[in-house]
Amino acid sequence: MKTYCLEVSGDFACFTRPEMKVERVSYDVITPSAARAVFEAVLWKPAIQWRITRIEVMKPICWINLRRNEVGAIISLRNVQTAMKDGSGDLGLYIEDERQQRAGLFLRDVAYRIYAHFEMRDAAPHKSHHPHLSKRVINDPDEQRAANAENVPAKFLNMFERRATKGQCVNQPYLGCREFAAHFRLIENPSSEPPPIAETRDLGWMLYDMDYSNPTNPNPCFFHAEMKNGVLDLSNVEVCR
Amino acid sequence: MTLKNRYDFVLLFDVKDGNPNGDPDAGNLPRVDAETGHGLVTDVSLKRKVRNFIGLVKAEQPPFEIYVKEKAVLNNQNKRAYVGIGKAELLEGDSKKRKGGDAVEEARQWMCRNFYDVRAFGAVMSTDINCGQVRGPVQLTFARSIDPIVALEHAITRMAVATEAEAEKQSGDNRTMGRKFTIPYGLYMAHGFVSSFLAGQTGFGEDDLELLWQALAQMFEHDRSAARGEMATRGLYVFRHDSELGNAPAYSLFERIRPELKEGVTAPRSFEDYQIKVSETDLPSGVTLERKA
């Protein structure tokens, strides 16, 4: 399977550590899960799954501290349903009542080269979990098989290449949080690009990705991240649950 | 009307003798990137102004209600009728017991239909099921000043005191001191994105988009306060892609808007001190540049 390389960069980034997410503290480098989302922003179908194989850190790891006024509540499903049923109600969230001031320790001025390839998988079970993403749900097994047969890797390879070269995307990729938009560029020939930073560091345990095999209750997976001369090699990394 | 195009936009705004966005961590000083001295305005600060503007001009009525409200804007505690927006159809399936998943989906769509900010910026709905989230099509970044800013601290006095105890302590002098921070001048630039795909999921349409442009152009005109000084939108450059996926990388378009200090100016004090260079002669095919403000 062909491996693609995207260079992503941005002014800020926050790959929030799960143990410090009230006052967000970022990991030192992009997580494989956030890197996967960058590729998915360019191309994703239920039939494919991106695998990140290598992350190269292009800029020194720098930090910035910012505190923001945030809201500490979420929309209550029950209130919405009551309002829908009664035809009246007082929805809305008053920010002064739900005020939380949260500091964040974010990365600044980041750039990564991310290598990934995708694997094919059965699209059928995935679709049923995301009804809003697909207008048409296929229930007939024959039709499903026919639909799966159309899903050949070459099709997706061409689509991805076409989109990435032109800078096309489904939504602008971002570095951890949506306010930190990422610029991306398809790297055709990584060997002609500048090398990553010359720094070797043990980054400790990092989030690898969420395991969606049980979609109602996804579980986090972790790995031991070691940056060697600016490179995180993920091709044979051991993932723990 | 659903969106058929991707949009990337550049928002230029300035502040004169005001504080565009205070930092709660630094006693409300204007936000500064400590390493470079450039001023910052957070994305949420800008979104707050968009919400306030729309709440103001649309009088908080569905389908333009604002979910995340600021009290100052809010004047209606009365119950509003939601009848008329797909209400009849929603009532029909009522007696049947729905599965959790369906109810979440229905509620999500209903919220999108009624609330402009849910439709534009997305929202999180509490639910046991892991997909009760709306991702909005409109995405804004931090705004950053073109040149380093200088924060000034001003001591101000008040000719009154708050409590009796204070008055006694001052034996009738009755004066308190306060502080406020301003920056003499700052021109800021923010980047934004509109994804037609996510717009389709929340029902964010062409009318909503026009309203967004209007809000971005006029929001500071309705956000006057003692702290802000004079703020104004100075430019809203919208790159419209012919296709949904887009026809060029966003960064290559943003690079085309370059505000620069005019020659001989070392300390900018007005918009006149800047020259906005816009290279629009050789736009990539399929991209058009529209000036909305």
Side-chain angles (χ1 to χ4, degrees), chain B residues 105 117 123 134 149 228 235 241:
Chain B
E105 179 57 20
D117 58 338
V134 184
I149 58 160
R228 298 276 174 257
H241 299 253

Side-chain angles (χ1 to χ4, degrees), chain A residues 67 75 87 108 168 170 178, chain B residues 25 31 33 82 136 139 195 246:
Chain A
R67 185 179 290 268
I75 298 177
R108 44 164 293 136
Q168 297 185 318
V170 170
R178 285 195 76 192
Chain B
D25 242 0
R31 292 182 190 276
D33 178 337
Y82 289 92
Q139 188 179 344
S195 156

Side-chain angles (χ1 to χ4, degrees), chain A residues 74-237:
Chain A
I74 46 182
I75 298 177
S76 147
L77 180 63
R78 180 170 294 182
N79 288 355
V80 174
Q81 283 171 327
T82 317
M84 284 164 73
K85 217 161 92 180
D86 301 344
S88 74
D90 198 20
L91 292 175
L93 202 141
Y94 301 100
I95 50 168
E96 276 85 0
D97 298 342
E98 307 286 350
R99 173 66 75 234
Q100 288 184 352
Q101 289 194 338
R102 293 185 179 186
L105 189 57
F106 307 139
L107 295 168
R108 44 164 293 136
D109 208 12
V110 299
Y112 304 104
R113 276 203 301 258
I114 309 169
Y115 297 75
H117 65 259
F118 62 79
E119 286 158 14
M120 304 299 293
R121 62 171 177 184
D122 184 12
H126 199 89
K127 260 188 180 166
S128 61
H129 294 305
H130 297 273
H132 61 289
L133 293 181
S134 163
K135 286 179 187 73
R136 188 166 147 270
V137 180
I138 304 169
N139 290 322
D140 181 36
D142 286 337
E143 202 182 343
Q144 182 59 59
R145 264 193 294 280
N148 273 345
E150 283 171 27
N151 289 334
V152 289
K155 177 173 100 170
F156 298 119
L157 284 171
N158 286 331
M159 276 168 94
F160 181 79
E161 217 160 285
R162 225 165 32 226
R163 289 183 184 184
T165 12
K166 284 195 225 162
Q168 297 185 318
C169 53
V170 170
N171 61 281
Q172 192 68 28
Y174 48 88
L175 298 162
C177 303
R178 285 195 76 192
E179 58 268 39
F180 307 132
H183 303 317
F184 68 97
R185 189 164 67 96
L186 182 71
I187 307 283
E188 308 273 1
N189 184 10
S191 54
S192 65
E193 298 282 324
I197 54 168
E199 196 181 324
T200 301
R201 209 196 275 192
D202 187 337
L203 301 176
W205 285 91
M206 264 175 78
L207 178 79
Y208 182 77
D209 208 332
M210 302 296 284
D211 175 12
Y212 291 99
S213 53
N214 174 11
T216 53
N217 183 26
N219 276 315
C221 313
F222 295 87
F223 73 108
H224 188 191
E226 281 177 295
M227 179 167 75
K228 286 180 190 141
N229 287 316
V231 177
L232 241 76
D233 189 354
L234 299 160
S235 47
N236 284 316
V237 77

Side-chain angles (χ1 to χ4, degrees), chain B residues 26-254:
Chain B
N28 210 34
L29 268 157
R31 292 182 190 276
V32 176
D33 178 337
E35 215 162 342
T36 63
H38 287 82
L40 294 174
V41 171
T42 58
D43 62 310
V44 280
S45 163
L46 296 171
K47 286 193 217 169
R48 176 77 261 149
K49 295 192 188 348
V50 171
R51 284 182 163 113
N52 287 354
F53 177 83
I54 286 160
L56 208 61
V57 297
K58 295 291 182 184
E60 291 274 339
Q61 288 306 310
F64 297 104
E65 259 197 271
I66 295 299
Y67 190 81
V68 183
K69 296 174 207 274
E70 200 172 2
K71 255 188 185 161
V73 181
L74 187 101
N75 50 11
N76 52 343
Q77 290 288 343
N78 55 330
K79 308 274 179 196
R80 288 168 315 267
Y82 289 92
V83 183
I85 306 125
K87 174 75 179 64
E89 135 225 341
L90 291 174
L91 271 180
E92 271 170 35
D94 208 64
S95 55
K96 282 184 215 149
K97 228 183 172 186
R98 286 191 214 90
K99 278 201 297 186
D102 293 353
V104 172
E105 179 57 20
E106 208 177 325
R108 187 208 327 253
Q109 285 176 9
W110 187 87
M111 289 299 288
C112 287
R113 271 204 303 277
N114 283 278
F115 289 90
Y116 182 89
D117 58 338
V118 175
R119 209 153 63 226
F121 303 131
V124 181
M125 266 202 250
S126 78
T127 158
D128 317 327
I129 298 152
N130 189 41
C131 54
Q133 272 190 27
V134 184
R135 218 157 37 125
V138 181
Q139 188 179 344
L140 275 164
T141 63
F142 278 20
R144 188 177 259 283
S145 67
I146 308 303
D147 290 294
I149 58 160
V150 191
L152 305 180
E153 181 179 350
H154 311 272
I156 47 174
T157 53
R158 183 170 68 161
M159 297 306 173
V161 285
T163 59
E164 283 286 343
E166 243 178 308
E168 269 164 38
K169 214 186 282 172
Q170 296 191 14
S171 53
D173 204 20
N174 290 10
R175 272 201 272 193
T176 40
M177 302 284 282
R179 292 188 310 163
K180 76 189 264 176
F181 301 99
T182 65
I183 56 176
Y185 185 80
L187 180 65
Y188 288 74
M189 180 156 71
H191 293 161
F193 314 87
V194 182
S195 156
S196 69
F197 295 95
L198 300 179
Q201 286 172 29
T202 67
F204 185 85
E206 294 283 354
D207 297 353
D208 292 327
L209 189 68
E210 279 310 313
L211 193 57
L212 176 73
W213 302 143
Q214 196 197 346
L216 290 171
Q218 299 176 2
M219 58 191 183
F220 297 115
E221 309 296 334
H222 302 275
D223 187 60
R224 303 290 179 207
S225 78
R228 298 276 174 257
E230 290 172 58
M231 292 186 75
T233 296
R234 293 295 191 162
L236 178 56
Y237 302 87
V238 178
F239 294 96
R240 184 176 183 276
H241 299 253
D242 277 353
S243 64
E244 282 194 272
L245 280 167
N247 297 64
Y251 68 89
S252 74
L253 300 175
F254 293 149

